Amino acid sequence: MKEIQATLLADSKCVLGEGPVYDETCHGLYWTDITTGRLHFMDLETGEHNYLHIGRNLGCFALTDKGRIVAGLNDGIYILDGPRCIPYCKPAEGLRPPDTRYNDGKCDPFGRFVLGTSVEPNDSEKGCLVSVDGRDSYQVLCDGLGCSNGLAWSLDGKTMYHVDTLDFSPSVISAFDYDPATGAASNRRQAVDFTEKAKSGILPDGMAIDENGNLWIAEWGNYCVACYDPRTGEQIARISLPVEHVTCCTFGGKNFDKLYITTASISGEPGGGVYVAEPGVHGFPTTRFKET
């Protein structure tokens, strides 16, 4: 198995760093600190690092085709235009019971914003996965989730991969048939079995897909991002980090040959920085949300 070492890029001291997004138009990297509601940005040319304080939990976000940001906040989906939060889509309250927030999300290859929810307490199964394709236009792709997390799509866009971090019976990375025309997901099945790792407290979190169709999955509690072949379930590579709680990753860099990795700092433990590694494969540009 291939072993790779990640290095620290930004000591951002996030409580719950998540959702890195690479912007190829400016060679910059965005990420969120969900708990503090901060949207971070680093200019990768100069190393300059700043953040925008949103003022509420910022679960996930994506870049839009109008140069703005679409984001999942506590109570709905908003367009971020500088410091302004402009209401865009508010799914039915029944999809968001009390103590729920939006969690991981990203755009599908066709410009829809797909995002899931996380429910407290963490053993709840009231979470769901929602696809937003326009102002106040959405559909529910999957429900009964514990903590909706990582997302990726196959190279042809016809398979969606999804992580439910808190599904232990068994713990799996799921694959769905995905309809490019409608964005509907069906035929849920196992792609990677995480059950044995979950028994020891190692949980799958965010993920990215590479040019070979392999999944790079952040492993919460295991100091790494691990690469799996979803066709066989086999682990084929590991990126080691010096911190335990690894949360998400994305491909970026001018040749999309770098993997940017977010981490968390729980109860004052080391972590919360952003790391970078060279996995030896390429990824793809970020799909932008099609604003309507």
Side-chain angles (χ1 to χ4, degrees):
M1 183 173 65
K2 186 176 182 180
E3 295 280 353
I4 305 159
Q5 188 69 46
T7 59
L8 183 66
L9 176 71
D11 186 15
S12 50
K13 295 180 171 60
C14 293
V15 177
L16 185 53
E18 265 282 9
V21 174
Y22 176 73
D23 185 351
E24 72 275 13
T25 67
C26 63
H27 190 42
L29 184 72
Y30 293 88
W31 67 96
T32 176
D33 185 355
I34 294 177
T35 305
T36 64
R38 291 175 176 175
L39 178 64
H40 290 258
F41 176 78
M42 173 174 272
D43 184 322
L44 297 173
E45 288 283 6
T46 67
E48 183 178 358
H49 169 216
N50 297 293
Y51 65 81
L52 177 66
H53 189 223
I54 304 301
R56 33 187 156 163
N57 287 344
L58 174 58
C60 58
F61 65 94
L63 307 179
T64 83
D65 59 0
K66 294 184 179 179
R68 302 195 289 183
I69 289 173
V70 60
L73 304 183
N74 299 60
D75 59 346
I77 293 92
Y78 290 77
I79 296 294
L80 305 184
D81 190 2
R84 293 195 304 151
C85 298
I86 304 168
Y88 189 80
C89 182
K90 191 171 184 178
E93 289 299 321
L95 298 177
R96 298 191 62 258
D99 301 318
T100 301
R101 64 167 174 79
Y102 286 101
N103 200 46
D104 208 347
K106 63 178 64 171
C107 282
D108 75 4
F110 314 100
R112 305 177 186 93
F113 186 36
V114 181
L115 68 168
T117 62
S118 175
V119 184
E120 299 289 345
N122 281 336
D123 60 356
S124 173
E125 295 182 354
K126 298 179 181 177
C128 65
L129 184 66
V130 177
S131 173
V132 177
D133 62 1
R135 187 176 296 276
D136 290 321
S137 176
Y138 68 90
Q139 62 177 312
V140 178
L141 303 185
C142 186
D143 58 14
L145 304 177
C147 179
S148 181
N149 236 313
L151 287 160
W153 283 263
S154 61
L155 308 189
D156 62 5
K158 294 182 179 180
T159 302
M160 180 182 75
Y161 299 102
H162 175 254
V163 172
D164 182 357
T165 294
L166 297 176
D167 182 5
F168 301 127
S169 55
S171 177
V172 302
I173 311 304
S174 297
F176 294 79
D177 293 338
Y178 196 77
D179 187 334
T182 66
S186 60
N187 187 27
R188 185 179 184 180
R189 57 198 181 274
Q190 176 181 304
V192 179
D193 186 358
F194 244 79
T195 304
E196 288 305 311
K197 286 188 173 183
K199 289 178 181 177
S200 60
I202 298 168
L203 304 176
D205 205 320
M207 65 180 169
I209 195 166
D210 68 24
E211 61 187 335
N212 299 317
N214 295 322
L215 300 174
W216 295 80
I217 302 172
E219 296 195 354
W220 177 274
N222 201 27
Y223 298 87
C224 76
V225 173
C227 181
Y228 295 85
D229 183 338
R231 292 146 295 214
T232 65
E234 177 188 5
Q235 182 176 341
I236 56 179
R238 173 188 167 97
I239 299 175
S240 297
L241 285 85
V243 296
E244 182 176 4
H245 296 110
V246 185
T247 57
C248 198
C249 57
T250 193
F251 280 94
K254 294 181 178 179
N255 296 313
F256 292 91
D257 58 351
K258 300 184 185 302
L259 199 69
Y260 296 99
I261 305 164
T262 52
T263 67
S265 175
I266 304 300
S267 302
E269 297 174 7
V274 176
Y275 291 77
V276 62
E278 296 184 0
V281 292
H282 294 76
F284 306 95
T286 301
T287 305
R288 292 177 180 259
F289 177 62
K290 294 181 180 178
E291 280 193 61
T292 57

